[in-house]
Every structure is written in structure tokens, then in C-alpha cells.
Amino acid sequence: DYVLCVGRFDPNKNQLSLIRSLKGSGIPLVFIGGACNGHEKYYEACLAEADKDVTFLGWLAHSDPALISAYKNAKVFVAPSIYETFGISIIEAACCGCNIALSNTLPILHYMNLNKYTFSPKKKSDMKNAILQAFYDKKDISNRESIKKQFDWSIIAKQHYDLYESLIRK
């Protein structure tokens, strides 16, 4: 069992706080992604702060079986962002059956029932408590099928088409 975080490294994504919040807990933390242009020093700070329980896998292609395996085998997926637009990696993790620990600032909370393990991204103790609860709870896959249906590409494409068509008609 491990905690997974996927995405580019930059201060808004808040990985340094995640590393600090789990430091010394003995819980394995795995990162997939790398430095965002202009934030290489932030990534280096994350590498320097990490203890033996943190693994950095770098960037993985969406077609890489290791990415799917990382999602499927993670106990918890965490999105510690201070601000976020949506977070496709959250959908991917939920579809793979991860318990989802999310910053309470993420708009995705308004679209689906993922507020069981939420935390303030600016409070490391909140973050740690939510992640520990998600880690020690049984995997909850109860909403996986509804998420898959809600975010199926054919449904999203139809919604886009309908939106554009309604705009053209105005």
C-alpha cells in the first residue's frame, strides 16, 4: 500500500507540504511527474526534503502500463493543490479504486462525492490526518462506476457538442 500523487511539480501543486506532512510516518509516498518549467528549484527542494519512504518515478506516458499499475495499486491518491482547475488525475485514480484525499479548495468536489477525505492545503496536520484516515480505511470503490459513467468520453464529447451547438444557435 502507498500514497500516490501525480502531476507537475510547482508550488501551487503543494507537493512539498505533502512530503513534510507524511515525513516520518513510514507510509510510502510515490510521485509521478517532474518539474514544471520555471519551478526546477521547487522540485529540487522536494527531492531534498524527501525521506526514505518517498519515491520519484518521473514522467510516465499515458500509454505506459506502469502508470495504470501505479493507480491500480495505490491505496490513496492525494491532490494537495492550493488551487486547481479540475484534475483529470483525480478521475483516473477514482476509476482505479483509490481512496481519494483532496484539498478542500478543489472544484471537483462539486461534481462528485469525493469529500470523505478532504483537508486544508495550508495545514499540514489536516493533510496528514486525512491521508492517514484514507490509508488505514478499507478501499472504497462504491462510486467508481458512477464516476466512469459521468466522465466517459462519449458523454463529455456530447456535452461539448451540445454546448457549441447552443452557442451557434444564439
Side-chain angles (χ1 to χ4, degrees):
D1 288 342
Y2 56 90
V3 173
L4 178 65
C5 185
V6 177
R8 70 180 184 279
F9 280 75
D10 71 52
N12 177 58
K13 296 292 188 176
N14 208 22
Q15 294 98 335
L16 191 54
S17 289
L18 173 57
I19 290 166
R20 289 175 176 162
S21 72
L22 290 181
K23 196 170 198 169
S25 69
I27 293 176
L29 173 59
V30 176
F31 286 103
I32 295 175
C36 179
N37 285 340
H39 295 287
E40 292 79 5
K41 289 188 188 246
Y42 180 80
Y43 181 68
E44 290 169 15
C46 290
L47 292 171
E49 187 82 25
D51 64 15
K52 64 176 180 45
D53 295 316
V54 181
T55 302
F56 296 86
L57 297 179
W59 292 107
L60 297 176
H62 274 98
S63 59
D64 190 329
L67 180 61
I68 295 167
S69 178
Y71 278 125
K72 285 187 176 182
N73 292 301
K75 177 78 180 273
V76 177
F77 177 85
V78 63
S81 300
I82 297 168
Y83 302 104
E84 190 70 63
T85 54
F86 187 75
I88 292 173
S89 60
I90 298 167
I91 302 296
E92 293 169 341
C95 287
C96 287
C98 296
N99 287 344
I100 309 292
L102 297 174
S103 162
N104 61 12
T105 63
L106 302 182
I108 197 166
L109 295 171
H110 302 290
Y111 295 101
M112 60 179 107
N113 184 24
L114 291 176
N115 56 4
K116 185 174 182 181
Y117 310 109
T118 58
F119 55 85
S120 167
K122 296 184 178 182
K123 294 182 180 176
K124 287 189 290 278
S125 62
D126 266 13
M127 188 183 304
K128 181 177 183 177
N129 290 338
I131 293 168
L132 289 177
Q133 182 182 357
F135 189 78
Y136 291 113
D137 278 358
K138 183 180 173 190
K139 268 191 167 184
D140 180 10
I141 60 169
S142 61
N143 62 359
R144 181 170 60 181
E145 290 307 313
S146 67
I147 290 169
K148 282 182 181 180
K149 286 178 186 171
Q150 185 177 1
F151 294 98
D152 180 86
W153 177 243
S154 64
I155 292 168
I156 300 298
K158 170 112 174 66
Q159 290 172 347
H160 276 84
Y161 177 84
D162 292 346
L163 174 64
Y164 289 128
E165 190 174 80
S166 73
L167 293 171
I168 291 169
R169 279 188 255 133
K170 286 187 176 187

